[in-house]
Amino acid sequence: MSVSKFSVFTKPWKNQSLEELGELVRDMGFNAVEYPLRDGYQVQPSDGAKGIVNLCKTLAKFDVTVTSIASGIDVRVTDGKGEVIGVNEELFEGCGQAGVPIVRICQSLNSAIGFHENYDALRKKYDAVVPYCEKYGVTLGVQMHCGWADITNSYDSYILLKDYDPKVIAAVWDAGHAGLAGESPRYGLDCIWNNLCMVNFKSAHWQDKGKNADGETKWDAFWVTGRNGMGSWKQAADYLKSRNYSGTVCLPAEYSDEANVEQYTREDLKYIKELFGV
């Protein structure tokens, strides 16, 4: 068993040049990144396919590959004939040209409609993306995200994605959000194993934020280092090793103590490598 890549989500480092980013990522000990293709970053959606190709070529100079792109997909389903408009083909085209295997999204639900209506609507959107995934050889990775109107846990992900080819539409398991949802790593990973394309190692616990106007306790997620969250990294790593997982392990580099993000990221990379015996 051998994890093929250890990647870091470069969201905290938006002000460096691509060259500086490549140097930092390599110095921290990573050989890959998940890149936030968003406005205000080194490469933005308006840069199109050429921007993604340039991103990958630049980071390759530092022996760093791009294993996933974090970006939204703009898919709208119209009434009547069910015509689908607004798919960002350039995103998939750029990833295909540059060899980026995964476009990662989180998936929110529409609070104005029910569970089944939400899932039907999401599947229509994914159906619209399937031809672009197949054309360019890119997987759409749907990550769980603990919240009142999100795809919260592994079973939610399984129900949503079980009928798709995992080479096309697949699940991204996240230790931090799974922990917040009270999910056992072994149960969660086993649930979506056949649909899995990537694993995030993030860590959090609930924090008491005082009382609301009705006197009820308010809770918020507090993002911490890998040893200190509600989702056990060791249990997750042990399960992945038992199944000979050979995909990407991504550290999202999200910490509530933002002043020490780089230090914590370095510590967590060392810890996760120890757990995988690297």
Side-chain angles (χ1 to χ4, degrees), residues 168-187:
V168 179
I169 313 286
V172 176
W173 188 83
D174 187 291
H177 288 288
L180 291 172
E183 180 175 282
S184 158
R186 180 176 181 83
Y187 171 85

Side-chain angles (χ1 to χ4, degrees), residues 55-89:
L55 164 71
C56 295
K57 285 184 177 179
T58 303
L59 293 182
K61 298 175 184 177
F62 302 92
D63 298 320
V64 172
T65 59
V66 181
T67 46
S68 53
I69 292 283
S71 183
I73 53 169
D74 178 19
V75 183
R76 299 182 298 279
V77 181
T78 65
D79 293 329
K81 297 181 180 180
E83 178 188 7
V84 179
I85 59 175
V87 178
N88 307 90
E89 182 168 1

Side-chain angles (χ1 to χ4, degrees), residues 132-152:
Y132 297 93
C133 293
E134 293 177 337
K135 180 178 180 179
Y136 297 109
V138 177
T139 300
L140 180 69
V142 182
Q143 182 204 306
M144 63 176 67
H145 192 283
C146 186
W148 68 273
D150 297 294
I151 303 301
T152 298

Side-chain angles (χ1 to χ4, degrees), residues 224-241:
V224 294
T225 53
R227 299 176 190 269
N228 298 298
M230 298 177 70
S232 170
W233 284 20
K234 184 179 186 305
Q235 290 179 26
D238 285 348
Y239 178 83
L240 292 168
K241 288 189 292 184

Side-chain angles (χ1 to χ4, degrees), residues 73-116:
I73 53 169
D74 178 19
V75 183
R76 299 182 298 279
V77 181
T78 65
D79 293 329
K81 297 181 180 180
E83 178 188 7
V84 179
I85 59 175
V87 178
N88 307 90
E89 182 168 1
E90 275 200 307
L91 169 61
F92 293 92
E93 180 184 4
C95 289
Q97 290 179 5
V100 179
I102 296 170
V103 171
R104 179 185 67 83
I105 63 170
C106 291
Q107 188 62 73
S108 296
L109 303 177
N110 181 352
S111 59
I113 61 177
F115 174 88
H116 296 287

